[in-house]
Amino acid sequence: MYAEERQQAIAGLVATTGRLSVIELAEKYAVTTETIRRDLSMLERAGLVRRVHGGAVPAHALSVLETAVSDRDRASVAEKDRIALAALDLVPDHGSVVLDAGTTKARLAALIPVDRRLEIITHGVPIASRLAGHPSIGLRLLPGRVRPTTQAAVGEDTVEALSRLLADVAFIGTNGISVKHGLSTPDHSEAAVKRAIVKGARQVVCLADAGKLGEEHLVSFASLDEIDVLVTDSRATTEQLAPVIEAGVKVVVA
């Protein structure tokens, strides 16, 4: 099947199905996931589909879909490992750190050396579990209602606790990042916590694999000028990174 025929078929399939993942499309058309991502990029530029994390939805659909943390942990595993390792260089030897919930931040938590003396604040239950036995870390688990989808504490109590803090560095995750919509996520309660994390840190480091660049989700929680560093993976293209760099964000490619 020629590329144009495949792209037309994908556009029609997404329109009728509602959402399809990159992996599903790659298997269906017997091509690589990189080929499908290029197809989806072309279809999005043509206004035929809308890319979301891990796949695509019809062009008219504003993304309110959210994958469970277990599904996210199986996506882009090698890239997330490299991002976490690169982010480790940005973790201070001493001081305070906020770790946003999410699978890449959990990988970063697992890499922190045993002799690194830090005060770490998190609303991610899996992250707190990883760090609970760390001999040199003072761990603070933020209060709130735990969402089953992300295993993260959210709500007024979480936001209020964060409003009283000023950390040296915050490592934040996002479902999408674009110049127009900034950093965004499908859920209002998650966005409120992320917004509080950004406002309560001297330096903000965003950890986002290349699949999230150019994506836009329902709720924006930060603009690009509120982010100091973006750590992403080597799949990110010059076209994707140029507007981020132009916005004054330092980019680290893992």
Side-chain angles (χ1 to χ4, degrees):
M1 180 180 287
Y2 292 109
E4 290 184 2
E5 295 176 343
R6 184 180 62 249
Q7 289 163 11
Q8 290 175 356
I10 290 171
L13 198 58
V14 170
T16 56
T17 305
R19 174 171 180 155
L20 285 169
S21 72
V22 170
I23 294 173
E24 288 172 332
L25 290 168
E27 291 176 350
K28 180 174 179 60
Y29 295 103
V31 294
T32 65
T33 54
E34 288 75 14
T35 296
I36 292 297
R37 289 191 181 93
R38 286 195 295 269
D39 288 342
L40 294 179
S41 293
M42 293 185 68
L43 289 170
E44 185 175 49
R45 286 196 292 271
L48 298 175
V49 304
R50 182 182 181 86
R51 293 189 65 187
V52 296
H53 183 52
V57 297
H60 63 272
L62 182 59
S63 179
V64 295
L65 302 172
E66 191 173 16
T67 53
V69 68
S70 58
D71 294 328
R72 280 185 247 169
D73 199 37
R74 292 191 291 267
S76 304
V77 173
E79 290 80 10
K80 289 178 179 179
D81 286 340
R82 293 200 300 271
I83 289 170
L85 186 60
L88 185 62
D89 291 336
L90 303 175
V91 176
D93 291 330
H94 304 277
S96 54
V97 172
V98 177
L99 288 179
D100 183 22
T103 56
T104 308
K105 278 75 64 185
R107 285 171 164 79
L108 173 59
L111 293 173
I112 296 175
V114 294
D115 60 348
R116 194 74 57 94
R117 307 191 70 85
L118 294 168
E119 182 80 11
I120 292 186
I121 304 101
T122 186
H123 68 126
V125 175
I127 292 174
S129 178
R130 284 177 181 261
L131 293 174
H134 198 295
S136 302
I137 286 176
L139 177 64
R140 182 182 301 187
L141 178 60
L142 294 167
R145 169 181 60 86
V146 176
R147 295 187 68 228
T149 304
T150 58
Q151 297 176 26
V154 297
E156 293 180 1
D157 291 340
T158 319
V159 173
E160 183 182 358
L162 283 163
S163 70
R164 299 192 296 268
L165 302 177
L166 181 60
D168 294 315
V169 186
F171 292 90
I172 194 87
T174 185
N175 295 78
I177 179 169
S178 72
V179 173
K180 182 178 179 181
H181 200 47
L183 279 65
S184 58
T185 186
D187 184 77
H188 284 277
S189 57
E190 294 274 358
V193 173
K194 289 175 183 290
R195 192 175 296 119
I197 291 173
V198 170
K199 292 185 181 301
R202 292 186 174 91
Q203 182 183 43
V204 179
V205 180
C206 177
L207 309 184
D209 64 76
K212 297 175 181 177
L213 303 181
E215 299 291 319
E216 295 178 344
H217 289 256
L218 183 63
V219 191
S220 175
F221 62 85
S223 59
L224 283 182
D225 61 11
E226 294 179 281
I227 306 303
D228 298 293
V229 184
L230 168 66
V231 185
T232 188
D233 65 82
S234 57
R235 298 174 303 166
T237 65
T238 302
E239 183 182 27
Q240 288 175 312
L241 294 177
V244 178
I245 296 171
E246 288 173 6
V249 180
K250 178 183 177 180
V251 172
V252 176
V253 177

